[in-house]
Amino acid sequence: DSIEGSLFNIGKIYQQIEHNDELFPNPVVVGNFVWKEKDKEVAFSPTPNGRFRVAWMPDASERNVMKLERGKMVPPFPNYGCGGVDSYDLDATVDNRGSKGALHMYNKFSLNRPPNMFVVEYASRPDLASIFYEDVLMCAFFYGYPLLIENNKYGIARHFEARGYDGYLLGRPEHLKSRTSSGSSVKTKGIPSNSQDVIQTHAQSIEAYIHDHVGVNHETGEVGTMYFNRTLEDWIGFKIDKRTKFDLTISSGLALLAAQKPKEKERSTFDEKRFFRRYKV
């Protein structure tokens, strides 16, 4: 039932899942990020019941790098990667079946790190929302990547601001700004979750990523490096009209949106003086 009407290329997703199941040793390590020294050093602690799944880490010299701008903490490596967060604001629900908090960290295309690769997956609902917020903060600090959130759930933004890390939260990306909002003086972190333009672009970003980087590349014969099966399975069942049920799809798509570069306007090389010859009569 989940396959019927799926938005994405199911064949490529299943190719990737089968490939991941055959890998030994498993490239994904389960564990938690913890403060070794608060606001100075985060460590990753492998544990079978951890909330994080990690497929790649930067070299030791590029972890926990502190960068200050105007007295505020900012991510040191925004050109190397970014993250997407599907957050929540309530500590508990009546039936204890509330949506989970989700996070993905993503490596952009670069020559310094494994490119176009999801490197962290998180899907959990700790007893307190603040625990989830601090989990996300520690991971962002460890990697040095900025985060894109949805601005209808602002608890995480308040937490980052209170901790002095609001510089890690991205504003609305340039390629998602509407013409009408470009002149607005209100600066809000994140993007609107109810905008139809954003919803469509979000789904298209995942569709394009699956096409380019998931499953078998028929030109090279290589298989993609998307090692998180939970996210792949979430993509299979994703329904755009019921998107709030798919936490991992939301956060992974936000990471991809944050990684996109705005299209540069083509500059005209037309030179009127060279095109129209002038004669003195």
Side-chain angles (χ1 to χ4, degrees):
D1 291 341
S2 64
I3 295 175
E4 187 177 347
S6 177
L7 291 178
F8 306 130
N9 188 325
I10 302 297
K12 290 182 75 69
I13 295 176
Y14 273 120
Q15 285 174 356
Q16 187 70 52
I17 291 174
E18 289 174 7
H19 172 74
N20 294 347
D21 289 342
E22 293 172 356
L23 291 175
F24 184 83
N26 192 323
V28 176
V29 180
V30 180
N32 288 319
F33 286 101
V34 294
W35 285 114
K36 198 170 181 180
E37 186 177 356
K38 194 167 185 180
D39 297 326
K40 288 189 177 179
E41 185 179 358
V42 171
F44 181 73
S45 175
T47 174
N49 298 320
R51 296 185 289 274
F52 288 90
R53 283 168 165 78
V54 176
W56 174 87
M57 288 184 177
D59 293 336
S61 62
E62 294 187 326
R63 302 173 188 174
N64 302 302
V65 177
M66 294 180 64
K67 184 179 180 183
L68 292 172
E69 285 185 3
R70 300 176 184 175
K72 284 190 175 184
M73 298 283 288
V74 295
F77 303 121
N79 294 329
Y80 290 163
C82 54
V85 185
D86 182 29
S87 186
Y88 62 93
D89 287 339
L90 299 176
D91 289 336
T93 57
V94 175
D95 58 2
N96 293 317
R97 291 170 58 194
S99 62
K100 296 178 179 178
L103 163 72
H104 281 85
M105 301 301 274
Y106 178 78
N107 280 356
K108 299 179 181 179
F109 177 79
S110 74
L111 300 178
N112 301 305
R113 303 185 175 200
N116 306 312
M117 176 182 175
F118 285 99
V119 296
V120 173
E121 177 198 81
Y122 176 109
S124 184
R125 192 181 180 96
D127 293 338
L128 298 175
S130 59
I131 297 175
F132 166 66
Y133 303 154
E134 194 68 13
D135 276 348
V136 173
L137 190 152
M138 285 188 286
C139 186
F141 182 78
F142 182 88
Y143 281 87
Y145 292 174
L147 304 168
L148 184 62
I149 64 173
E150 291 183 320
N151 60 20
N152 63 319
K153 301 165 187 171
Y154 221 65
I156 190 168
R158 288 192 291 269
H159 182 87
F160 270 63
E161 185 175 348
R163 295 277 283 105
Y165 287 82
D166 51 315
Y168 273 75
L169 300 180
L170 292 166
R172 186 165 181 166
E174 288 294 326
H175 62 283
L176 293 176
K177 288 182 178 177
S178 63
R179 295 177 182 176
T180 55
S181 65
S182 59
S184 173
S185 59
V186 179
K187 293 183 179 180
T188 306
K189 298 289 186 180
I191 60 173
S193 60
N194 57 355
S195 164
Q196 286 302 313
D197 286 344
V198 170
I199 290 171
Q200 292 295 330
T201 307
H202 173 274
Q204 289 166 4
S205 69
I206 299 174
E207 183 180 37
Y209 179 81
I210 292 170
H211 180 271
D212 295 334
H213 304 295
V214 172
V216 178
N217 184 317
H218 294 294
E219 293 182 3
T220 65
E222 295 180 350
V223 184
T225 55
M226 177 33 167
Y227 298 126
F228 300 115
N229 282 359
R230 289 192 307 177
T231 299
L232 292 166
E233 290 164 1
D234 210 57
W235 288 348
I236 289 173
F238 179 65
K239 300 289 188 293
I240 200 166
D241 57 338
K242 298 178 181 177
R243 60 197 301 272
T244 55
K245 294 182 178 181
F246 300 92
D247 312 301
L248 288 167
T249 301
I250 299 301
S251 58
S252 58
L254 289 173
L256 292 172
L257 288 179
Q260 287 180 1
K261 292 182 178 180
K263 293 182 180 179
E264 295 182 0
K265 294 181 180 178
E266 294 183 5
R267 294 183 179 180
S268 174
T269 57
F270 178 78
D271 186 346
E272 182 181 307
K273 292 181 180 179
R274 292 178 61 188
F275 190 77
F276 295 105
R277 293 186 178 181
R278 296 172 181 260
Y279 297 94
K280 289 185 179 179
V281 179

